[in-house]
């Protein structure tokens, strides 16, 4: 008897405006939604899901693909499709298709999301982290500019904005941009 095959979509998500590149690669079920993709991005970057977010097309038209309930976005328009209702396959119809994911409209973290491949396997899983590189920026650090400020402070010991050590958040001394423990991240991510 043949075993049942399960299909997964493998995505690569890269944080834009940061070099060296911060990225994650993970697999989600072929029937998952943009809401599931949002949670996977948040969990793979070890973020808190505390801020607004939105998926848009990558092209010039920047059409909104999905987001949270429009009423919490404080938009004048209610034409934002509910991310928990929009299947990933409604947009990602073939390999190499992309979109943009924006998280935290203040820090404005923009991610390139790309469908790398479809995976068929006998194994059944909810999701799986496959690979990644570099630690994600800490929440509320000030976007790409704030990220570079943190990196400079760690490299030189001086804050480019002139803050004294006792004026900086306590977590700053334990965060390292080049540290990404793939095994630990997989353990926390995989279900």
């Amino acid at each position: 008897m043949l075993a049942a095959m399960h299909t997964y979509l493998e995505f690569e998500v890269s944080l834009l405006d940061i070099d060296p590149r911060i990225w994650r690669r993970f697999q989600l079920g072929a029937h998952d939604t943009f809401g599931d993709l949002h949670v996977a991005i948040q969990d793979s970057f070890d973020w808190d899901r505390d801020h607004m977010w939105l998926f848009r097309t990558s092209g010039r038209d920047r059409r909104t693909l999905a987001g949270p309930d429009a009423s919490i976005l404080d938009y004048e328009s209610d034409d934002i499709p509910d991310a928990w209702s929009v299947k990933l396959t409604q947009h990602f119809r073939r390999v190499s298709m992309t979109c943009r994911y924006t998280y935290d409209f203040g820090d404005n973290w923009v991610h390139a999301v790309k469908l790398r491949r479809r995976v068929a396997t006998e194994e059944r899983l909810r999701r799986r982290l496959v690979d990644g590189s570099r630690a994600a920026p800490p929440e509320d650090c000030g976007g790409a500019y704030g990220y570079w400020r943190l990196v400079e402070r760690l490299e030189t010991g001086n804050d480019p904005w002139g803050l004294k050590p006792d004026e900086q958040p306590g977590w700053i001394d334990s965060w390292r941009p080049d540290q990404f423990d793939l095994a630990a991240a997989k353990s926390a991510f995989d279900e």
Side-chain angles (χ1 to χ4, degrees), residues 113-129:
V113 179
K114 180 179 183 178
L115 177 60
R116 294 195 72 236
R117 65 185 184 133
R118 291 178 185 273
V119 178
T121 180
E122 293 177 10
E123 188 177 6
R124 184 174 189 84
L125 54 106
R126 182 161 141 17
R127 64 185 196 178
R128 173 186 294 151
L129 183 64

Side-chain angles (χ1 to χ4, degrees), residues 24-26 44 128-131 180 182 185-186 189-190:
R24 303 293 183 264
R25 189 176 308 143
F26 51 78
S44 71
R128 173 186 294 151
L129 183 64
V130 177
D131 205 355
F180 176 66
L182 181 60
K186 279 183 175 187
F189 183 91
D190 294 356

Side-chain angles (χ1 to χ4, degrees), residues 136-185:
E139 293 268 8
D140 299 319
C141 73
Y145 186 71
Y147 171 83
W148 289 115
R149 174 185 171 203
L150 290 175
V151 170
E152 183 176 333
R153 187 226 178 257
L154 290 170
E155 289 175 352
T156 67
N158 296 314
D159 185 279
W161 291 346
L163 290 180
K164 307 270 186 278
D166 63 333
E167 298 173 316
Q168 298 173 7
W171 53 259
I172 199 168
D173 291 320
S174 63
W175 178 80
R176 295 292 179 268
D178 57 344
Q179 291 181 347
F180 176 66
D181 183 341
L182 181 60

Side-chain angles (χ1 to χ4, degrees), residues 52-70:
M52 294 295 99
W53 51 277
L54 206 57
F55 287 96
R56 290 193 166 145
T57 57
S58 299
R60 282 182 275 190
D61 66 341
R62 293 282 191 233
R63 183 176 48 86
T64 300
L65 295 168
D69 183 300

